[in-house]
Amino acid sequence: MSDTDTAEGTEVADLEARLSIYRMMQEGRLFEERARDLFLQGLVKGTSHLGIGQEAIAAGFAAALEPDDLVFCTYRGHVHTLLRGAPMAALMAELLGRATGICGGKGGSMHLTDVSHGAMGSYAIVGAHMPIAAGAAWAAKARGTDQVAVCFFGDGTTNIGTFHEALNLAAVWALPVVFVCENNLYMEYTAIGDVTAVEHPAADRASAYGLEPILIDGNDADVVHTTAVRTVARARSGDGPSLVEAVTYRHGGHSRADPGKYRPDEEVAEWLRRDPIPSYRERLLAAGADEGTLDAIDRDALAAVDRATEEAREAPFPDPDTLETELWADGGSAWRN
Amino acid sequence: MAELTYREAVARGIAQEMERDPSVFFIGEDVAAAGGVFKTTEGLLDRFGPDRVRDTPISEQAIIGAAMGAAMNGLRPIAELMFSDFFAVCWDMVANQIAKARYMTNGQVALPIVIRTANGGGARFGAQHSQSVETWMMAIPGLKVVVPSTPLDMIGLLAAAVRDPDPVVVVEPKVLYASKGDVPDGEIVDELGVARAVREGGDVTICVLGAMVPKALEAAGRLADDGIDAEVLDVRSLVPLDVRAIADSVERTGHLVTVEENPRLCGWGAEIASIVADEKFYALDGPIVRVTTPHLPLPSADVLEDAAIPSVDRIVEGTRRSLG
Ligand SMILES: Cc1ncc(C[n+]2csc(CCOP(=O)(O)OP(=O)(O)O)c2C)c(N)n1
Ligand SMILES: [Mg+2]
């Protein structure tokens, strides 16, 4: 990855902001590890797609956003939703199918949404949220709000039509949206390089939409954050969309069912060495952070996850009467009189 | 009072709502500068400007997806799909995204979106620009569907759709665009989910929609010559469905015919037939008859297309059959 930016020479945020990014990554990591454990215990049904290994992208961007900005993510969206400020216990409860879940148990792992915190949904049809994010940005522009929409998606998503339709529309209407490709090198089980006509699935397509190619190390939270600040500022100032390709790696398989055996051992080992969290910790220590402060962040994050887990596990299951609620804005689901 | 074409009614309805509510925006392919390929939206660009009336690229997924995102962030967008056959191109946006978002998030997301579309046959366009697809939308929980059959209904139902807090598909039978009707001055707002008897009668209930309404009325006129007094019920709204109006009519007449432009299988008439068979079985004095397009794509040649779409003759024949 010699052609990606690195932290060297980049203007980084102040130590306090970086500690906050560290805290966010750690909360995301511990939340995901707990989610995985709960799955293995059979307490969470269905499927899950964890963001372990990719936290620097979520945290770097989350730290660059204002409260009323709008984030759109995929089924691999637990960490993005959490870092927007969604209450952890309500997210955990949603995974566990409880009444107190953020979507009342109707959404599940792949659809975590907290509109009150600008987490505008986790979308499970590859690419669908890209035009939707563009539309939210269109409304922001039309209404003259200062909002920016940020849309996270995977490398595999660059080969579906919505990617191209959304980028073209966003560019031609100069919409305040940042599209962030989390290039974790794989779709489900297929390496992106095996099925893509260009080497960098997002960055190499940017010029087709008149955009600057932006290829960064997605495991370097400082680089991600700096890029986020720059692209979000560009969007907010009316200069239009950006397309960022952040190269990263998921430590586990695609979903709960996938051991990830299609990946060479050396490749996995190499990327585990490049885990975004320990390296960031080292960097913050070198920058003058106090070890005790970092330890306290780790402890607090774990305590928060423990509390959220307890709260979620004690929560009741949804009342079956809620089955037929909230299809329509009147709260019901009647299709006839 | 003025006489308007159905196509003029589209523009009048959109203008009425854009005038009233600054959060109403209108997008689609060739809708602004060109005034729409069916000339249904002429004048809107001049009146409301390029920010609110926008031409889009040929990107059906982006058109419908952007409408959804905009609705999530405070607009009430109207999006045009040039031909209803193109729903197949953006079906994910319609069926998976727009329809499911509110339920899936337990009501966190409100989606006041209107999708307008030119639907159905009779224009000799061939199979990919002619199908009646209203039953596709009807099959998806979370979508409302209306089919106006007159200029007045076009304005009133469109206004009701724009004001509704949920996604509504307004299906416009393209063969009706040149048809005319009287429209009163001033604001016109109708109601979703209300069928209307366009001809009252006591012998048989003919449930009908869109472009089949004028044909059913003609058929009823012919039947009257033979002493059969048919009630023609314009269903107007598939979701919500005015089951009460249908059931009350069948209660009085004891006979039911549905006239559908859609291909046979799973047409809306099948749903109505099933409801009536279940809930009004003992009021029925004869078989429920469905008059539909055969289960085929629509052909282009005049003779073939006319043979496919329900004709006045077939409606008369089907109605007689329902009377036993
Ligand atoms: C339209 C569509 N096709 C296929 C799938 C099945 N699917 C789910 S995730 C996935 C891989 C997506 O890869 P990528 O965009 O790289 O995201 P990642 O999972 O790596 O974050 C596929 C093929 C889907 N959900 N939607
Ligand atoms: Mg991937």
Side-chain angles (χ1 to χ4, degrees):
Chain A
M1 285 212 314
S2 53
D3 46 0
T4 55
D5 286 347
T6 66
E8 256 148 84
T10 351
E11 188 88 17
V12 297
D14 61 37
L15 188 58
E16 199 184 328
R18 295 168 89 194
L19 285 169
S20 158
I21 290 171
Y22 176 79
R23 177 188 54 76
M24 287 196 272
M25 287 201 287
Q26 196 62 282
E27 280 182 5
R29 171 70 53 96
L30 295 172
F31 180 90
E32 290 293 65
E33 288 178 349
R34 181 61 51 85
R36 185 193 55 202
D37 294 347
L38 293 170
F39 270 112
L40 294 175
Q41 292 169 41
L43 287 169
V44 181
K45 311 289 162 49
T47 186
S48 73
H49 307 76
L50 304 177
I52 295 177
Q54 306 186 182
E55 298 89 349
I57 301 171
F61 267 89
L65 297 180
E66 297 296 330
D68 63 348
D69 289 338
L70 305 168
V71 164
F72 296 78
C73 58
T74 72
Y75 48 86
R76 199 180 301 289
H78 302 172
V79 181
H80 292 295
T81 309
L82 177 68
L83 299 193
R84 277 306 280 166
M88 196 187 278
L91 297 182
M92 203 64 97
E94 187 65 25
L95 300 186
L96 290 164
R98 304 299 164 122
T100 56
I102 195 81
C103 301
K106 288 175 175 160
S109 165
M110 295 208 279
H111 299 298
L112 298 181
T113 302
D114 184 1
V115 168
S116 68
H117 287 94
M120 304 304 286
S122 307
Y123 296 76
I125 308 292
V126 162
H129 60 322
M130 297 189 65
I132 298 167
W138 168 43
K141 184 169 170 152
R143 292 165 55 222
T145 70
D146 230 19
Q147 296 160 296
V148 172
V150 179
C151 179
F152 299 96
F153 57 95
D155 44 281
T157 307
T158 62
N159 290 325
I160 200 164
T162 46
F163 169 88
H164 301 275
E165 292 193 16
L167 276 160
N168 182 61
L169 190 77
V172 79
W173 287 4
L175 299 177
V177 54
V178 181
F179 294 107
V180 184
C181 176
E182 303 178 296
N183 180 1
N184 59 13
L185 313 187
Y186 290 84
M187 302 144 56
E188 284 184 281
Y189 314 135
T190 302
I192 189 66
D194 292 350
V195 295
T196 307
V198 292
E199 185 185 354
H200 305 296
D204 289 350
R205 266 82 173 248
S207 66
Y209 304 104
L211 301 174
E212 176 198 352
I214 303 175
L215 183 66
I216 61 169
D217 180 352
N219 277 17
D220 185 325
D222 284 331
V223 170
V224 173
H225 182 64
T226 312
T227 307
V229 168
R230 176 167 73 88
T231 53
V232 167
R234 172 181 147 91
R236 217 183 296 285
S237 66
D239 292 336
S242 297
L243 173 61
V244 176
E245 178 173 335
V247 183
T248 184
Y249 204 75
R250 54 170 153 78
H251 288 181
H254 166 73
S255 63
R256 144 166 118 122
D258 172 29
K261 288 292 176 219
Y262 43 87
R263 307 185 302 182
D265 291 345
E266 323 77 74
E267 178 185 287
V268 176
E270 158 67 8
W271 280 95
L272 287 176
R273 268 196 300 280
R274 291 170 59 182
D275 186 330
I277 298 179
S279 56
Y280 202 59
R281 187 185 170 90
E282 290 307 313
R283 195 184 291 164
L284 294 189
L285 287 171
D290 175 76
E291 181 131 37
T293 307
L294 291 166
D295 289 344
I297 289 174
D298 295 349
R299 268 199 315 277
D300 290 350
L302 184 60
V305 171
D306 284 342
R307 269 197 313 276
T309 309
E310 260 339 281
E311 209 180 299
R313 290 186 65 156
E314 281 163 17
F317 291 106
D319 183 336
D321 287 349
T322 62
L323 172 69
E324 299 196 32
T325 63
E326 292 301 349
L327 182 67
W328 306 126
D330 68 7
S333 59
W335 54 268
R336 56 169 286 182
N337 57 12
Chain B
M1 186 76 83
E3 187 177 68
L4 248 58
T5 61
Y6 190 97
R7 83 163 32 87
E8 288 165 341
V10 173
R12 165 128 167 227
I14 297 173
Q16 171 186 299
E17 293 309 294
M18 292 189 73
E19 194 67 62
R20 178 187 61 83
D21 181 349
S23 69
V24 178
F25 282 61
F26 175 49
I27 59 171
E29 292 164 18
D30 302 309
V31 298
V37 294
F38 293 105
K39 300 291 170 214
T40 50
T41 57
E42 277 188 325
L44 294 175
L45 173 64
D46 287 345
R47 193 154 159 202
F48 298 104
D51 283 344
R52 291 181 68 195
V53 178
R54 301 199 99 165
D55 285 321
T56 65
I58 306 168
S59 302
E60 278 73 14
Q61 303 188 84
I63 295 167
I64 304 302
M68 172 171 168
M72 291 170 96
N73 193 22
L75 299 191
R76 299 183 91 89
I78 304 173
E80 176 176 308
L81 264 190
M82 192 187 279
F83 284 82
S84 64
D85 310 70
F86 306 165
F87 269 104
V89 178
C90 53
W91 196 231
D92 175 53
M93 289 300 160
V94 178
N96 277 322
Q97 308 304 330
I98 288 175
K100 293 175 183 170
R102 181 176 187 92
Y103 185 80
M104 218 158 74
T105 63
N106 206 24
Q108 292 184 56
V109 174
L111 295 177
I113 303 165
V114 173
I115 303 175
R116 298 179 35 243
T117 190
N119 185 62
R124 320 312 191 199
F125 284 155
Q128 295 182 340
H129 290 70
S130 299
Q131 191 166 337
S132 279
V133 305
E134 58 276 9
T135 51
W136 294 3
M137 277 78 78
M138 187 191 191
I140 304 295
L143 301 176
K144 296 179 178 175
V145 190
V146 294
V147 190
S149 66
T150 65
L152 180 59
D153 278 4
M154 179 66 232
I155 300 171
L157 290 176
L158 181 85
V162 170
R163 297 175 194 201
D164 198 83
D166 296 311
V168 184
V169 181
V170 178
V171 177
E172 302 167 8
K174 62 174 86 69
V175 77
L176 293 182
Y177 280 137
S179 65
K180 293 183 177 150
D182 283 338
V183 174
D185 300 332
E187 187 180 76
I188 297 167
V189 191
D190 209 322
E191 211 182 318
L192 306 182
V194 181
R196 185 188 310 119
V198 289
R199 184 189 194 282
E200 291 183 1
D203 293 339
V204 55
T205 302
I206 304 178
C207 279
V208 66
L209 201 62
M212 297 298 102
V213 173
K215 288 191 183 184
L217 283 170
E218 198 183 327
R222 259 204 244 164
L223 289 161
D225 295 342
D226 296 343
I228 297 167
D229 190 17
E231 176 141 301
V232 178
L233 197 61
D234 184 348
V235 175
R236 301 202 315 151
S237 177
L238 291 176
V239 182
L241 185 64
D242 192 352
V243 171
R244 206 176 301 138
I246 297 165
D248 287 352
S249 179
V250 172
E251 182 78 46
R252 280 185 289 104
T253 65
H255 298 274
L256 175 65
V257 179
T258 66
V259 182
E260 303 158 61
E261 196 187 321
N262 43 257
R264 180 82 189 180
L265 300 188
C266 302
W268 55 264
E271 186 59 51
I272 288 177
S274 123
I275 294 169
V276 169
D278 182 350
E279 299 175 23
K280 287 290 160 192
F281 185 75
Y282 297 105
L284 285 169
D285 294 321
I288 300 173
V289 173
R290 291 179 62 211
V291 180
T292 73
T293 291
H295 206 59
L296 291 171
L298 274 186
S300 166
D302 306 49
V303 172
L304 295 176
E305 193 181 38
D306 289 344
I309 297 173
S311 62
V312 174
D313 284 348
R314 281 175 58 207
I315 300 170
V316 168
E317 186 268 325
T319 307
R320 286 190 195 288
R321 207 147 52 78
S322 79
L323 290 165

